[in-house]
Every structure is written in structure tokens, then in C-alpha cells.
Amino acid sequence: SREGEHGVLIDLVRREREALAQSHGEDVEIMFADARYGFIHGLLLEARQQTMDPAKRLQTTRLLDSVLLHRTLGMPLFLGLMWVMFETTFTVGAYPMDWIDLGVGWIAGVVGSVMPDGMIKDLLVEGIIAGVGGTIIFLPNIVILFFFLAFFSESGYLARSAFLLDRVMHTFGMHGKAFIPLVMGFGCNVPAIMATRTIESERARLIAILVNPFMACTARLPVFILFAGAFFAEWAGTVVFLMYLLSILIAFSAAVFLGRFVVRGGTEPFVMELPPYRMPSMRAVLYHMWEKASDFLRKVGGVILVGSTVLWFLQAYPKDVDWTQDYAGQIATLEAGVQSEVRDAAVTKLRHEQEREHLEKSYLGRTALAVAPVFEPLGFNWKDTVAILTGVVAKEVVVASYAVIYAQGEDATEESDSLRDALAGTMSPLVAFAFMVFVLLYVPCLATIAVIRRETGSWKWAGFSVGFSMSLAWILAFGVITIGGVFV
């Protein structure tokens, strides 16, 4: 039976807690924490041999804390370090990204040249290579991002970030202990939600679970980098940093809303141990980097490979389309004439119009066009709708969707073979930013929905998370379009 059914036992525990707090003059949570850390401290004194003078180490720790945890300087330093992390992730990662992009293009060219024309060739070049290759180029950015996160964690600064933000988080109805699961959400929301088990308060834990999907996981990072590079090239690193900052702000604001109107209750004290500063070992940092890189590659070889294949079939079929005009006849007539730049331009234009009409009348296009009116006020076209729908399965598939669509779309010319170049002419920077905001917030992936249901024990909260995130994403994206349109 569940603990909630033991009414007598729960009432007894509550009265004992109140009696202990009254007799000792302290909250029970603090007394338990003091007992645990006292036992740990005594055990360490008996079992550990210290190579560094404890007094000197404590002095160094206090000196660093006086700066990094300073009431005035602490927060600007934290934001500055976060900006450096994301700026470096984009700028340094741009070089290996270009190398991988060239390699994928070379592989596609070789496969396209050696294989005979047909369905298998189209599937490999325009489906699998385009979808998987368009996503795997973001591997360097993910590795660099987790180098910084591993360094901050191993050095002891990440725990201090939770302490630093405790006061801010109390303002938003949470406490510092929820910060670690939220930071883990930058990696993946699934283990981050599971990490909320360390939060004793059921109310605080439920709020942390419901706001965690708003944290920008690495699955969204390729989308941000793709759009930032395509529409905000000069400020790409700063734009990606702003998206992560926005994710934190929205998560905290959502916590205020949930705490006041959805999940009611009081707050509780925050107690945690601050580990000593240490120089991170290269082995530990490399392990964290390899763990995240291998996880990303497994997704590329699994869900993205399958998703790209399915997307290609949906956009390639049916083959028999009722054309609005005789494209084949017009192209044949033009090609029979005298060769000239004007003729070649006319043939290219007709081919692009034919490809666009085929995409719109494919199974993928029909589905997207049926749903597209929901997103029209946000400035998104049916191709963007395709990316949004496929992203419900896994956010990594958003980039793969664009890669598959533009592998043979009207923008995929020889002069514009990069996905960023193909995407740049499809929407304005304002709409692009609204799309980034929407992808940041809308429906959690299927794995996240499943873990929310498991951790809360109710489909009610999983359904609430889906509806709440979708509504918030649409409203904020519409706000970006409406307010931004006044100034642009």
C-alpha cells in the first residue's frame, strides 16, 4: 500500500517532528542534515589521509568563496562564466562543424555518383545521409559544452552555483537543492527529472519536475546553433547564450505560477554541503565528455536514423501527383531550344516549382498543411510545422527534418548546399527567433513525458506538462512576433 494511505502513521510522524522542532529550537531537516554531516565528518577523520594542510585548504576555499559567492559580484561572475561557456561552444565548435559538414557533403557526393538512380540512392543520399549528417555536425558543440559543465562540477563550482542561486530561487518558490536537477536538464531532461528525488519536499519536487522540461537540453542545442548560425551569424554565440538564459528565466517564472496557482504549500529550509575546491582530473572530465558524446551518437544511430528514413518516405510518396501544370512538357520544350542562361534559369525555376509542389502533395506535406493553420500566426510555414511535429518524438529530429526536406527542396542549389544557407532565405530573423523560443518550450519529448508520469505517479501531471508547455510556447512565440513586429 502507498504511504499516503497510512493516515495514523503520518499523523504520528508529524507530531514527532513538531515536538522535536519545539524542544530543540531547530527545523527537523536541519537537525537531520547536521547529524548526517557530523557522522560523515567523523568517518573521514578516521579513514582519510590528507596530503594538504586542512587549515591552508580551508583558507584557500574561503578566499575563493569570498569572491565567487560575494553578495554583489557572485551573480555577475556566474553569468559571465555561463556566457564564456556558450560563446566558446559556438566559436570553437564552428571549425570542426565545418569539417564534418564538408565530410558529409563529400560522402553524399561519392554515394550519389557511384549508385544508379533509383529509390535506394534517393533514400541514402536525401534521407539517411542528409538527416544523420545534418545532425551529427553538432557533435563538437555538445562535447565542448559538457567539457565546461564537467569542469564546473568537478572543481566544486557547480554546487556553489546552487548555493549562490538559493536566494533567487526562493523568490521563485524553489530552493537551491532544485538547481542541480535543473542544471542537469541542460544535458537531458530525463535523468534530471529523476534527480529530483533528492528533494525531500513533495511540493518542491513536483514543481522541479514540471519546470525541468523548460531547461534547454542538448537535443535543442543543434536547433539553436543551426538557427543562430543561419540568421544571427555575427552574434551566434551570444544568441545561444540568451536562449539558455531565457530557459532559466522561464523555468523560474513557471515555478512562481505553479507554486501560487497549481501546487500550493509552504517552503522549507535549504541545507547542502559545499565541497572543497579541487583541480578537476582530466580523466573525470574526459569521461563526462565521452559519456555525453556516446549518448548523442547512439541517438544519431537510433532515433535520428529511423526518423530520417521515415521522413524521407513520407516526403517522397506518393509518386503519382496531380500536377497543376505540365512541368515535364515545359521542361522538355525549353531544353529542346537553344542553350542560354535565360533558358537554364527557366528550367531550374520549373524544376524547383515541381519539387515544391511534390513536397506539398506528399504524405508529409498533406499532414503538415492540415496542422499548419495552428502555427500560421507565428509566421511558421508547413515545413516548419513538419519539424515541430517530428520534434515531439525527440528534439534532435528537428534538425534532421530540415536536412531531409532541404536536401531536395527548392533552396538546395549547388551554390547553397549548406543547411544553414538553405534555411536562411525561408524566414525573417524575427520569425527565426520566435521558432527558437517555441522549440525551447513546446511539448517535452516522449521519453520526458514518460518519466514525468513515472516520477509523479500520475498521467494527470504528464498531461498537464504537455498542455502547459505547448500553451506557453505558443503564447511567447506569438509575443515575440507581435512585439518584435513593432520595432522591426
Side-chain angles (χ1 to χ4, degrees):
S1 60
R2 295 181 176 275
E3 182 180 329
E5 299 172 358
H6 300 293
V8 176
L9 179 60
I10 292 175
D11 185 61
L12 179 62
V13 171
R14 180 184 57 79
R15 283 188 275 113
E16 287 294 332
R17 284 168 54 94
E18 292 175 353
L20 284 171
Q22 186 176 4
S23 61
H24 290 79
E26 286 185 326
D27 290 321
V28 175
E29 289 86 357
I30 294 178
M31 286 189 285
F32 272 113
D34 287 341
R36 291 193 188 103
Y37 292 129
F39 175 79
I40 293 171
H41 180 69
L43 187 63
L44 288 175
L45 289 177
E46 295 180 8
R48 180 180 59 179
Q49 291 183 348
Q50 293 182 317
T51 57
M52 182 178 180
D53 182 12
K56 184 176 180 181
R57 185 169 192 170
L58 181 61
Q59 183 179 6
T60 303
T61 296
R62 286 178 174 174
L63 178 63
L64 291 172
D65 282 343
S66 67
V67 178
L68 296 176
L69 298 182
H70 191 272
R71 183 180 297 269
T72 304
L73 297 177
M75 188 60 68
L77 285 173
F78 170 75
L79 295 176
L81 288 172
M82 293 298 102
W83 179 84
V84 169
M85 178 174 71
F86 291 113
E87 181 69 17
T88 305
T89 296
F90 190 90
T91 54
V92 176
Y95 298 102
M97 275 181 66
D98 292 338
W99 302 336
I100 297 174
D101 195 13
L102 290 173
V104 171
W106 178 81
I107 293 173
V110 170
V111 173
S113 63
V114 300
M115 292 190 66
D117 292 339
M119 185 183 73
I120 301 300
K121 174 184 174 180
D122 292 342
L123 171 61
L124 287 175
V125 175
E126 299 171 356
I128 295 176
I129 296 178
V132 173
T135 306
I136 203 173
I137 65 172
F138 300 102
L139 177 62
N141 305 100
I142 292 172
V143 170
I144 294 171
L145 175 67
F146 276 95
F147 166 80
F148 279 96
L149 288 178
F151 185 89
F152 290 149
S153 177
E154 293 295 317
S155 66
Y157 181 68
L158 193 60
R160 282 165 171 80
S161 301
F163 182 82
L164 181 68
L165 292 172
D166 177 56
R167 181 180 303 171
V168 176
M169 297 184 74
H170 263 297
T171 305
F172 291 94
M174 297 186 291
H175 61 51
K177 191 173 287 188
F179 180 70
I180 300 299
L182 291 180
V183 170
M184 289 179 64
F186 285 149
C188 179
N189 297 139
V190 172
I193 290 173
M194 296 172 65
T196 59
R197 296 173 184 176
T198 60
I199 303 174
E200 293 84 359
S201 167
E202 286 298 323
R203 173 184 177 274
R205 180 169 181 254
L206 181 57
I207 292 176
I209 288 173
L210 294 176
V211 303
N212 204 290
F214 297 134
M215 303 302 290
C217 62
T218 51
R220 297 177 176 101
L221 181 61
V223 183
F224 298 155
I225 294 176
L226 172 64
F227 275 74
F231 296 95
F232 312 99
E234 295 182 1
W235 304 95
T238 302
V239 170
V240 173
F241 166 69
L242 287 176
M243 293 308 301
Y244 276 80
L245 203 61
L246 183 63
S247 75
I248 296 174
L249 179 61
I250 291 174
F252 284 7
S253 301
V256 173
F257 174 82
L258 294 173
R260 290 184 179 179
F261 302 105
V262 181
V263 186
R264 298 180 181 275
T267 60
E268 58 285 320
F270 168 50
V271 180
M272 73 173 295
E273 180 185 17
L274 293 181
Y277 288 103
R278 59 174 65 90
M279 181 58 67
S281 67
M282 187 56 64
R283 180 179 179 181
V285 173
L286 290 177
Y287 174 79
H288 282 291
M289 292 168 61
W290 167 249
E291 185 180 37
K292 297 303 178 182
S294 60
D295 182 60
F296 179 74
L297 291 174
R298 281 194 296 270
K299 289 184 178 180
V300 168
V303 65
I304 295 176
L305 176 62
V306 174
S308 299
T309 304
V310 172
L311 281 170
W312 179 83
F313 275 106
L314 290 176
Q315 61 88 28
Y317 288 90
K319 291 293 186 182
D320 297 328
V321 174
D322 294 330
W323 304 110
T324 57
Q325 55 183 307
D326 184 11
Y327 291 106
Q330 294 182 56
I331 292 173
T333 301
L334 287 172
E335 289 180 339
V338 179
Q339 183 177 5
S340 65
E341 292 185 2
V342 175
R343 188 207 72 170
D344 292 343
V347 170
T348 300
K349 181 179 179 181
L350 281 172
R351 292 189 188 278
H352 287 167
E353 290 178 355
Q354 185 179 20
E355 290 171 353
R356 179 179 58 191
E357 186 172 345
H358 183 265
L359 278 171
E360 291 178 353
K361 293 183 177 180
S362 67
Y363 296 127
L364 186 65
R366 294 173 188 175
T367 303
L369 286 171
V371 182
V374 176
F375 303 105
E376 281 182 4
L378 309 181
F380 305 158
N381 60 33
W382 71 270
K383 295 179 182 179
D384 305 320
T385 303
V386 170
I388 290 170
L389 294 178
T390 56
V392 174
V393 179
K395 295 299 181 288
E396 296 93 341
V397 188
V398 171
V399 173
S401 300
Y402 279 119
V404 171
I405 291 173
Y406 289 114
Q408 66 173 20
E410 59 177 324
D411 299 291
T413 63
E414 293 181 1
E415 295 81 10
S416 180
D417 55 2
S418 169
L419 179 56
R420 280 173 291 182
D421 295 334
L423 193 62
T426 63
M427 62 180 72
S428 67
L430 180 62
V431 174
F433 187 76
F435 186 84
M436 293 170 72
V437 172
F438 189 88
V439 171
L440 169 66
L441 302 174
Y442 88 109
V443 181
C445 66
L446 293 181
T448 303
I449 295 173
V451 80
I452 290 175
R453 188 268 168 205
R454 187 179 67 189
E455 293 299 313
T456 61
S458 170
W459 279 111
K460 178 187 73 173
W461 291 116
F464 174 82
S465 177
V466 171
F468 182 51
S469 59
M470 189 68 178
S471 302
L472 188 60
W474 197 97
I475 291 170
L476 290 184
F478 183 74
V480 170
I481 293 297
T482 304
I483 298 174
V486 176
F487 300 97
V488 176

Short mmCIF file of all heavy atoms in Angstrom, two decimals, residues 300-323:
data_model
loop_
_atom_site.label_atom_id
_atom_site.label_comp_id
_atom_site.label_asym_id
_atom_site.label_seq_id
_atom_site.Cartn_x
_atom_site.Cartn_y
_atom_site.Cartn_z
N VAL A 300 21.92 9.37 -32.71
CA VAL A 300 22.09 9.56 -34.15
C VAL A 300 21.92 8.23 -34.87
O VAL A 300 21.31 8.14 -35.94
CB VAL A 300 23.48 10.17 -34.45
CG1 VAL A 300 23.79 10.09 -35.94
CG2 VAL A 300 23.52 11.61 -33.98
N GLY A 301 22.48 7.15 -34.28
CA GLY A 301 22.38 5.84 -34.89
C GLY A 301 21.04 5.16 -34.65
O GLY A 301 20.76 4.13 -35.27
N GLY A 302 20.22 5.72 -33.78
CA GLY A 302 18.93 5.10 -33.47
C GLY A 302 17.77 5.93 -33.94
O GLY A 302 17.30 5.82 -35.08
N VAL A 303 17.30 6.82 -33.06
CA VAL A 303 16.07 7.55 -33.34
C VAL A 303 16.21 8.47 -34.54
O VAL A 303 15.27 8.62 -35.34
CB VAL A 303 15.62 8.34 -32.09
CG1 VAL A 303 16.62 9.44 -31.74
CG2 VAL A 303 14.24 8.95 -32.30
N ILE A 304 17.37 9.09 -34.75
CA ILE A 304 17.54 10.01 -35.88
C ILE A 304 17.62 9.24 -37.19
O ILE A 304 17.08 9.67 -38.21
CB ILE A 304 18.78 10.90 -35.67
CG1 ILE A 304 18.56 11.79 -34.45
CG2 ILE A 304 19.07 11.74 -36.90
CD1 ILE A 304 19.74 12.63 -34.08
N LEU A 305 18.31 8.10 -37.18
CA LEU A 305 18.38 7.26 -38.39
C LEU A 305 16.99 6.79 -38.79
O LEU A 305 16.59 6.91 -39.96
CB LEU A 305 19.30 6.07 -38.13
CG LEU A 305 19.40 5.05 -39.27
CD1 LEU A 305 20.00 5.71 -40.52
CD2 LEU A 305 20.25 3.86 -38.84
N VAL A 306 16.23 6.27 -37.84
CA VAL A 306 14.87 5.80 -38.13
C VAL A 306 13.98 6.98 -38.54
O VAL A 306 13.23 6.90 -39.53
CB VAL A 306 14.27 5.08 -36.90
CG1 VAL A 306 12.81 4.74 -37.15
CG2 VAL A 306 15.07 3.84 -36.58
N GLY A 307 14.09 8.09 -37.78
CA GLY A 307 13.28 9.26 -38.10
C GLY A 307 13.56 9.81 -39.48
O GLY A 307 12.64 10.18 -40.22
N SER A 308 14.84 9.88 -39.86
CA SER A 308 15.20 10.39 -41.18
C SER A 308 14.66 9.49 -42.29
O SER A 308 14.19 9.98 -43.32
CB SER A 308 16.73 10.49 -41.30
OG SER A 308 17.25 11.37 -40.34
N THR A 309 14.72 8.17 -42.06
CA THR A 309 14.21 7.23 -43.06
C THR A 309 12.70 7.39 -43.23
O THR A 309 12.19 7.46 -44.36
CB THR A 309 14.54 5.79 -42.65
OG1 THR A 309 15.95 5.66 -42.46
CG2 THR A 309 14.08 4.80 -43.71
N VAL A 310 11.98 7.46 -42.11
CA VAL A 310 10.52 7.62 -42.18
C VAL A 310 10.16 8.94 -42.84
O VAL A 310 9.25 9.01 -43.68
CB VAL A 310 9.91 7.53 -40.76
CG1 VAL A 310 8.42 7.89 -40.79
CG2 VAL A 310 10.11 6.13 -40.19
N LEU A 311 10.86 10.01 -42.46
CA LEU A 311 10.59 11.32 -43.05
C LEU A 311 10.80 11.30 -44.56
O LEU A 311 10.02 11.89 -45.31
CB LEU A 311 11.50 12.38 -42.42
CG LEU A 311 11.10 12.89 -41.04
CD1 LEU A 311 12.22 13.74 -40.46
CD2 LEU A 311 9.83 13.71 -41.14
N TRP A 312 11.85 10.63 -45.01
CA TRP A 312 12.11 10.58 -46.45
C TRP A 312 10.97 9.88 -47.17
O TRP A 312 10.50 10.35 -48.22
CB TRP A 312 13.42 9.86 -46.74
CG TRP A 312 13.69 9.79 -48.21
CD1 TRP A 312 14.24 10.75 -49.00
CD2 TRP A 312 13.35 8.70 -49.08
NE1 TRP A 312 14.28 10.33 -50.30
CE2 TRP A 312 13.73 9.08 -50.38
CE3 TRP A 312 12.75 7.45 -48.88
CZ2 TRP A 312 13.55 8.24 -51.48
CZ3 TRP A 312 12.56 6.62 -49.97
CH2 TRP A 312 12.96 7.01 -51.26
N PHE A 313 10.52 8.74 -46.65
CA PHE A 313 9.41 8.04 -47.29
C PHE A 313 8.16 8.90 -47.33
O PHE A 313 7.45 8.93 -48.34
CB PHE A 313 9.13 6.72 -46.55
CG PHE A 313 9.99 5.57 -47.00
CD1 PHE A 313 11.03 5.12 -46.22
CD2 PHE A 313 9.76 4.96 -48.24
CE1 PHE A 313 11.83 4.07 -46.64
CE2 PHE A 313 10.57 3.91 -48.67
CZ PHE A 313 11.60 3.45 -47.86
N LEU A 314 7.89 9.60 -46.23
CA LEU A 314 6.68 10.43 -46.18
C LEU A 314 6.75 11.60 -47.15
O LEU A 314 5.71 12.01 -47.70
CB LEU A 314 6.46 10.96 -44.75
CG LEU A 314 6.06 9.92 -43.71
CD1 LEU A 314 5.98 10.57 -42.34
CD2 LEU A 314 4.72 9.28 -44.07
N GLN A 315 7.95 12.15 -47.36
CA GLN A 315 8.04 13.29 -48.28
C GLN A 315 8.28 12.85 -49.73
O GLN A 315 8.12 13.64 -50.65
CB GLN A 315 9.15 14.26 -47.84
CG GLN A 315 10.54 13.67 -47.78
CD GLN A 315 11.30 13.76 -49.08
OE1 GLN A 315 11.04 14.66 -49.88
NE2 GLN A 315 12.21 12.83 -49.30
N ALA A 316 8.64 11.57 -49.94
CA ALA A 316 8.89 11.09 -51.30
C ALA A 316 7.65 10.48 -51.95
O ALA A 316 7.59 10.36 -53.18
CB ALA A 316 10.02 10.06 -51.29
N TYR A 317 6.68 10.08 -51.15
CA TYR A 317 5.49 9.41 -51.66
C TYR A 317 4.23 10.20 -51.31
O TYR A 317 4.23 10.93 -50.33
CB TYR A 317 5.41 7.99 -51.08
CG TYR A 317 6.44 7.06 -51.68
CD1 TYR A 317 7.70 6.95 -51.09
CD2 TYR A 317 6.17 6.33 -52.83
CE1 TYR A 317 8.66 6.12 -51.64
CE2 TYR A 317 7.13 5.49 -53.37
CZ TYR A 317 8.37 5.39 -52.77
OH TYR A 317 9.32 4.57 -53.32
N PRO A 318 3.19 10.05 -52.14
CA PRO A 318 3.08 9.21 -53.34
C PRO A 318 3.82 9.80 -54.53
O PRO A 318 3.97 11.02 -54.64
CB PRO A 318 1.58 9.19 -53.60
CG PRO A 318 1.09 10.50 -53.06
CD PRO A 318 1.94 10.77 -51.85
N LYS A 319 4.25 8.91 -55.43
CA LYS A 319 4.97 9.35 -56.62
C LYS A 319 4.03 9.97 -57.65
O LYS A 319 4.41 10.90 -58.37
CB LYS A 319 5.73 8.18 -57.24
CG LYS A 319 6.90 7.68 -56.41
CD LYS A 319 8.01 8.71 -56.34
CE LYS A 319 9.24 8.16 -55.63
NZ LYS A 319 10.33 9.18 -55.52
N ASP A 320 2.83 9.43 -57.74
CA ASP A 320 1.86 9.93 -58.72
C ASP A 320 1.13 11.13 -58.13
O ASP A 320 0.34 11.01 -57.19
CB ASP A 320 0.85 8.83 -59.08
CG ASP A 320 1.53 7.64 -59.75
OD1 ASP A 320 2.54 7.86 -60.45
OD2 ASP A 320 1.06 6.50 -59.54
N VAL A 321 1.41 12.30 -58.68
CA VAL A 321 0.83 13.55 -58.19
C VAL A 321 0.07 14.23 -59.31
O VAL A 321 0.52 14.24 -60.47
CB VAL A 321 1.95 14.49 -57.66
CG1 VAL A 321 1.37 15.84 -57.27
CG2 VAL A 321 2.66 13.85 -56.48
N ASP A 322 -1.08 14.79 -58.99
CA ASP A 322 -1.83 15.57 -59.98
C ASP A 322 -1.22 16.97 -60.05
O ASP A 322 -1.49 17.83 -59.20
CB ASP A 322 -3.31 15.65 -59.58
CG ASP A 322 -4.00 14.29 -59.64
OD1 ASP A 322 -3.59 13.46 -60.47
OD2 ASP A 322 -4.92 14.07 -58.84
N TRP A 323 -0.38 17.17 -61.06
CA TRP A 323 0.33 18.45 -61.18
C TRP A 323 -0.62 19.55 -61.63
O TRP A 323 -1.58 19.31 -62.36
CB TRP A 323 1.47 18.35 -62.19
CG TRP A 323 2.46 17.26 -61.90
CD1 TRP A 323 2.65 16.11 -62.60
CD2 TRP A 323 3.41 17.24 -60.84
NE1 TRP A 323 3.64 15.35 -62.04
CE2 TRP A 323 4.14 16.02 -60.96
CE3 TRP A 323 3.72 18.09 -59.80
CZ2 TRP A 323 5.14 15.67 -60.07
CZ3 TRP A 323 4.73 17.75 -58.92
CH2 TRP A 323 5.43 16.55 -59.05
#
